[in-house]
Amino acid sequence: MPASSESLVTRIPRSRSGTGRALQKGQQTKAAIVEAALGLATHIGLEGLSIGALADVTGMSKSGVFAHFGSREELQISVIREYHTRFEQEVFYPAMSAARGLPRLHALFDNWMKRTSIEIDSGCIYISGAVEFDDRTGPVRDALASSVMTWHGAMRRAIEQCKEIGEIQADVNAEQMLFEIHGLILALHYEARFLRNPGSLSRAVTGFHNILSRYGAPAMAAPAPVARAAAAGRRKVSTQTTTSKE
């Protein structure tokens, strides 16, 4: 752990040289390409990414895009890293302000649900990537699996902390509990995104509370943001279902 919050900030001296300005511009261009690639990947998958498609989207030449990555594989890995960074910023880090134990576990799941409610429209790279790379080997699969396992590790630690504090039963298998919680998210994507079943979000929230109850946790009301997300999801999925019937 860093000694102070100041150590989290890397201070880069302002460069006055042309080389420094060119480097900064190059980094900005690469970030813009990754942004465009992430937008594409959430809709068409990592395998749908190509240097040519990104050249069209960004208005750059193929050689210009290629120069920033060197290969399609490195481009895919960069997208996975960016997705993971944003996932941490939206789901993991905000939850760390909650107290250890059930409040933190709730916060992690609630933030995960809020992000999932948005990804019903766009798609989740963790899930689509697993379908694309489940039977492959190589750096892209490794980067994707590593990101997912890092997140699972955070959830597992939160569950173990609940056991240590005595907020769930001491004999609870953290791996099993994590498996069941993750299963809710996978089912939610399938039910809401593919089948467009109304009420999927609220059922996922109910499922989480049922898991906690089964493992001996006291009942806690769903936070307002999650309740609102569930309600919005019910309205949206219901509208989609009605439209599809029409």
Side-chain angles (χ1 to χ4, degrees):
M1 295 292 292
S4 68
S5 59
E6 293 181 357
S7 62
L8 298 175
V9 181
T10 302
R11 301 186 181 279
I12 303 175
R14 182 177 298 175
S15 173
R16 298 181 180 179
S17 67
T19 301
R21 287 192 296 272
L23 179 60
Q24 184 180 32
K25 183 178 180 180
Q27 292 171 337
Q28 291 172 344
T29 300
K30 183 174 183 178
I33 296 172
V34 171
E35 174 79 21
L38 180 57
L40 283 175
T42 55
H43 289 88
I44 64 177
L46 289 166
E47 278 295 87
L49 291 178
S50 69
I51 300 296
L54 277 175
D56 291 339
V57 170
T58 60
M60 298 176 61
S61 65
K62 291 183 181 180
S63 60
V65 174
F66 186 82
H68 286 281
F69 299 96
S71 69
R72 178 168 171 268
E73 186 177 80
E74 184 56 39
L75 168 64
Q76 291 170 321
I77 292 173
S78 295
V79 169
I80 292 168
R81 289 171 178 163
E82 179 63 22
Y83 182 85
H84 182 71
T85 296
R86 297 186 185 195
F87 188 94
E88 286 186 323
Q89 291 171 345
E90 295 177 22
V91 179
F92 175 73
Y93 290 118
M96 290 302 99
S97 60
R100 291 178 54 180
L102 281 178
R104 184 171 296 179
L105 182 60
H106 266 271
L108 287 168
F109 182 77
D110 296 340
N111 294 344
W112 198 1
M113 284 291 298
K114 282 185 282 185
R115 182 176 177 91
T116 300
S117 68
I118 295 171
E119 291 182 332
I120 288 173
D121 277 333
S122 61
C124 172
I125 286 180
Y126 286 163
I127 294 176
S128 63
V131 174
E132 293 176 300
F133 293 92
D134 62 345
D135 58 351
R136 304 187 187 186
T137 59
V140 178
R141 185 193 189 284
D142 292 346
L144 186 62
S146 176
S147 294
V148 174
M149 294 306 294
T150 296
W151 165 237
H152 282 192
M155 288 291 291
R156 193 180 301 106
R157 285 193 298 275
I159 293 171
E160 291 288 358
Q161 288 169 358
C162 290
K163 291 173 58 177
E164 293 168 5
I165 295 172
E167 292 180 330
I168 61 176
Q169 297 167 9
D171 61 349
V172 167
N173 184 312
E175 199 67 44
Q176 177 64 32
M177 189 171 179
L178 170 61
F179 182 90
E180 294 177 23
I181 293 173
H182 187 212
L184 291 174
I185 298 298
L186 297 178
L188 173 59
H189 270 269
Y190 192 92
E191 292 281 328
R193 184 167 166 78
F194 179 56
L195 298 179
R196 297 182 179 179
N197 282 338
S200 300
L201 277 165
S202 61
R203 281 195 290 272
V205 173
T206 299
F208 178 67
H209 285 275
N210 288 343
I211 290 172
L212 293 183
S213 176
R214 197 164 65 251
Y215 287 115
M220 293 178 67
V226 176
R228 288 195 296 270
R234 286 196 299 271
R235 291 194 296 271
K236 186 181 74 167
V237 175
S238 178
T239 300
Q240 290 173 338
T241 305
T242 303
T243 302
S244 64
K245 289 180 180 178
E246 295 175 348

